[in-house]
Amino acid sequence: DAELNKADAKRYNQMKLVKKGPFTMGTDAKLTKDGEDPERRVTLNDFYDVYEASNAEFARFVKATDYRTEAENFKNSFVLETLISEQTLSKITQQVASSPWWLPVDGADWLHPEGPDSNISKRLDHPVLHVSWNDAKAFCEWGGKRLPSEAEWEKASRGGLENRLFPWGNKLMPKGKHMVNIWQGEFPKGNSAEDGFIATCPCSFEPNKLGLYNTVGNVWEWVEDWYSTRHTSDAVQRPKEGKVKVKKGGSYMCHKEFCYRYRCAARSENSPDSSSSNLGFRC
Ligand SMILES: *[C@@H]1O[C@H](CO)[C@@H](O)[C@H](O)[C@H]1NC(C)=O
C-alpha cells in the first residue's frame, strides 16, 4: 500500500476538463489507409480526461475486486521480442508471420509485462499493459468513469490546436527537443532510446495545453468505439457494432518509416479481447 500510495499520489484522479465545443477530427493528409479521413467538424459536450491508467491504479482495482484480466485467463499475451529475456525466449515456439517481432509469451500479463521472470515493481507509475478492451472497460466502470469515444480521445489529444499532426504542433522535435516516447534507430532491431525510454514511460515530456501527458506515443490507448473507416457527416454518431475496437495514439514502438501513428488523427484496431506490451488506456 505504501508503494502504491507513493506511486499514485501525484496522479490518481487528476482529471482535466475538456470544454464543450467543436473541433476538427481526422485529417485529409492520407498518411495511412486507416480511415483518418475525411476531416470533419465534431461538437462534443464537456468531459474529463485523465492520464494513462497506471500499474498502481490497476493494482488498486484488482485488490478491490479480484479482477482477472483476459491475458491472465488466456495465460499468454504478446510481447515485443527485443524486451524478452533469453530464458523466456528459449521457451517460445510460435511467431506471428506478418509481424515477427511480436511473440506470444506464456505468463505475460499486467504483473509480468515481459513474461514470468519480469515484474512491475519499478514501474508502478507506468501505464498498465496487457489489458484488453474488456479489462479497460471494467477498470473504468469500477472507478465510476468510462472509456472515451474516439472523438473525445482525439479532441483531448489535440488540446485546443486545430489541424496539427501532434498535440504540440507540426514539428516532431521543436528546438531539437523530444516531445514523445517513440522508437529511435532501426525497427525492430533496437530502440536507441534517445528520447530517454526503451519501452514505456510514466507521465513524461511536456503535457499538451490541457495538461494531458503522452496521448501520442508511449502506449496505444483503447477507446470505446467500434472501428470503421466510413465516417458519417455527423461524427458523433458512432458505429453500433463491429468486430474490432479503435485504439489511438501509437506507442513507444512507432517509427516514422514503419508506423507513422504517433499523431492525433492516427488510429488502428484490435479485437476487444486482445492485449500486448504496448497497449493501455485512459478513462
Ligand atoms: C523484479 O524484477 C527485478 C529486475 O527487474 C528484480 O531485481 C526483482 O527481484 C524482481 N522482484 C520480484 C518481487 O520478483
Side-chain angles (χ1 to χ4, degrees):
D1 257 349
E3 282 300 306
L4 290 186
N5 282 337
K6 221 163 66 188
D8 65 22
K10 290 202 299 254
R11 297 172 44 107
Y12 201 61
N13 264 342
Q14 290 202 12
M15 299 194 293
K16 305 287 183 189
L17 174 65
V18 183
K19 285 204 176 115
K20 69 180 175 198
F23 81 109
T24 305
M25 183 172 178
T27 175
D28 289 334
K30 299 273 193 309
L31 298 167
T32 66
K33 294 194 171 76
D34 301 334
E36 298 179 23
D37 62 306
E39 284 171 17
R40 53 220 186 259
R41 288 297 275 178
V42 179
T43 299
L44 298 174
N45 285 326
D46 280 349
F47 65 96
Y48 289 89
D49 190 306
V50 74
Y51 307 153
E52 285 168 339
S54 70
N55 283 316
E57 288 161 347
F58 204 79
R60 287 200 184 285
F61 162 57
V62 169
K63 219 171 150 196
T65 60
D66 286 325
Y67 186 84
R68 268 179 76 83
T69 59
E70 295 200 88
E72 287 169 286
N73 289 333
F74 293 142
K75 303 202 188 314
N76 70 54
S77 186
F78 283 94
V79 184
L80 174 66
E81 178 171 10
T82 52
L83 300 177
I84 303 171
S85 73
E86 288 296 328
Q87 200 198 349
T88 300
L89 269 181
S90 68
K91 297 187 191 127
I92 297 173
T93 53
Q94 300 172 64
Q95 232 179 8
V96 186
S98 59
S99 44
W101 48 87
W102 280 122
L103 295 178
V105 175
D106 288 347
D109 56 40
W110 73 277
L111 284 166
H112 310 95
E114 293 81 38
D117 57 356
S118 65
N119 66 57
I120 57 168
S121 61
K122 296 264 149 62
R123 289 179 271 178
L124 288 175
D125 56 355
H126 287 223
V128 61
L129 304 173
H130 301 291
V131 281
S132 69
W133 182 88
N134 295 310
D135 300 332
K137 196 165 171 74
F139 173 94
C140 291
E141 277 169 13
W142 169 76
K145 301 179 185 181
R146 60 177 176 79
L147 287 171
S149 68
E150 181 175 3
E152 285 171 336
W153 187 99
E154 192 169 319
K155 186 177 180 189
S157 176
R158 290 182 179 282
L161 296 178
E162 280 280 321
N163 292 95
R164 297 297 199 280
L165 288 168
F166 310 116
W168 58 89
N170 281 330
K171 271 189 82 170
L172 179 62
M173 292 181 63
K175 299 191 181 119
K177 197 166 153 197
H178 286 284
M179 300 292 284
V180 54
N181 180 14
I182 52 175
W183 194 277
Q184 288 95 38
E186 198 182 325
F187 186 88
K189 276 179 91 177
N191 184 348
S192 60
E194 282 146 47
D195 58 16
F197 303 99
I198 284 185
T200 58
C201 65
C203 288
S204 304
F205 306 98
E206 256 176 55
N208 73 5
K209 284 192 191 314
L210 295 175
L212 297 170
Y213 290 87
N214 305 123
T215 57
V216 296
N218 205 26
V219 291
W220 282 101
E221 298 173 13
W222 290 113
V223 298
E224 174 68 28
D225 300 16
W226 293 109
Y227 179 85
S228 162
T229 55
R230 287 194 306 273
H231 308 295
T232 63
S233 55
D234 174 8
V236 179
Q237 196 185 316
R238 294 144 63 188
K240 291 201 172 52
E241 53 189 15
K243 288 200 169 60
V244 289
K245 290 287 183 178
V246 178
K247 59 180 184 179
K248 295 285 278 183
S251 80
Y252 64 85
M253 288 170 59
C254 280
H255 183 288
K256 188 162 184 188
E257 272 92 77
F258 160 80
C259 169
Y260 189 29
R261 296 198 174 84
Y262 43 94
R263 294 176 290 103
C264 303
R267 58 207 300 267
S268 189
E269 38 78 12
N270 273 118
S271 63
D273 62 355
S274 61
S275 63
S276 70
S277 62
N278 72 339
L279 175 51
F281 66 97
R282 70 180 66 215
C283 300

